[in-house]
Amino acid sequence: MMPTKVVIADDHTLFREGIKRMLSLEKDILVVGEAARGDEVTKLVERTKPDVLLLDLKMPKGDIVQTLLEVKDINPATKVLVLTAFSEDENILNAAKGGARGYVLKGIDFPTLLRAIKTVQGGGTPRTMVKLSASVSIGL
């Protein structure tokens, strides 16, 4: 079985490196790239063709919706899981409309993040659902 290829895009170096270090301990996960700015994400996705993109909701030099649309155009197979520190952010709805499969709060534990990555990679949405509107819901 091929490992799940993951790209981590977050402007906080320590957070990004921590996730990478934890994911590197998993036999079925391979971190294929990291981005610290929004304008780096699409080039990285084009080069690495990840299965899952962990995308910080707010990054310098990037717009979440534009980034999601570009990722979808470049590699439609890439599933996007948004990372955020805030559960009540209007940009979460925009991310859902832009094609994100779900979001996770940065305060979650590692097993929850791992389950969310595997669920999203498999085409699902993380188990706990939050209704954002009548037409859109994304995972928590």
Side-chain angles (χ1 to χ4, degrees):
M1 184 174 166
M2 299 293 293
T4 299
K5 296 186 300 182
V6 176
V7 163
I8 305 165
D10 193 287
D11 59 317
H12 294 96
T13 304
L14 186 60
F15 183 78
R16 193 177 62 248
E17 288 177 355
I19 291 175
K20 180 181 178 182
R21 188 170 299 241
M22 295 294 291
L23 289 176
S24 70
L25 299 174
E26 299 298 315
K27 295 176 188 170
D28 57 347
I29 303 274
L30 176 63
V31 177
V32 294
E34 298 174 61
R37 297 186 339 232
D39 61 352
E40 300 170 335
V41 174
T42 52
K43 293 174 192 163
L44 188 58
V45 167
E46 186 171 27
R47 190 173 70 247
T48 63
K49 304 284 191 262
D51 300 305
V52 176
L53 167 61
L54 297 178
L55 180 62
D56 186 5
L57 187 61
K58 295 181 181 179
M59 291 182 62
K61 298 190 179 190
D63 171 81
I64 185 92
V65 174
Q66 185 62 37
T67 300
L68 286 164
L69 295 174
E70 289 173 7
V71 165
K72 190 184 295 185
D73 284 343
I74 291 168
N75 189 24
T78 297
K79 310 293 192 305
V80 180
L81 184 61
V82 171
L83 301 168
T84 182
F86 307 101
S87 63
E88 296 183 14
D89 190 315
E90 64 193 45
N91 290 315
I92 293 171
L93 180 58
N94 292 333
K97 289 178 180 177
R101 297 293 305 193
Y103 76 96
V104 292
L105 296 176
K106 290 184 176 182
I108 62 169
D109 59 19
F110 182 70
T112 302
L113 176 62
L114 195 56
R115 279 192 307 277
I117 290 170
K118 291 179 180 187
T119 299
V120 164
Q121 191 275 332
T125 308
R127 261 179 53 189
T128 307
M129 297 295 292
V130 174
K131 280 285 192 199
L132 295 176
S133 73
S135 61
V136 178
S137 65
I138 62 175
L140 174 60

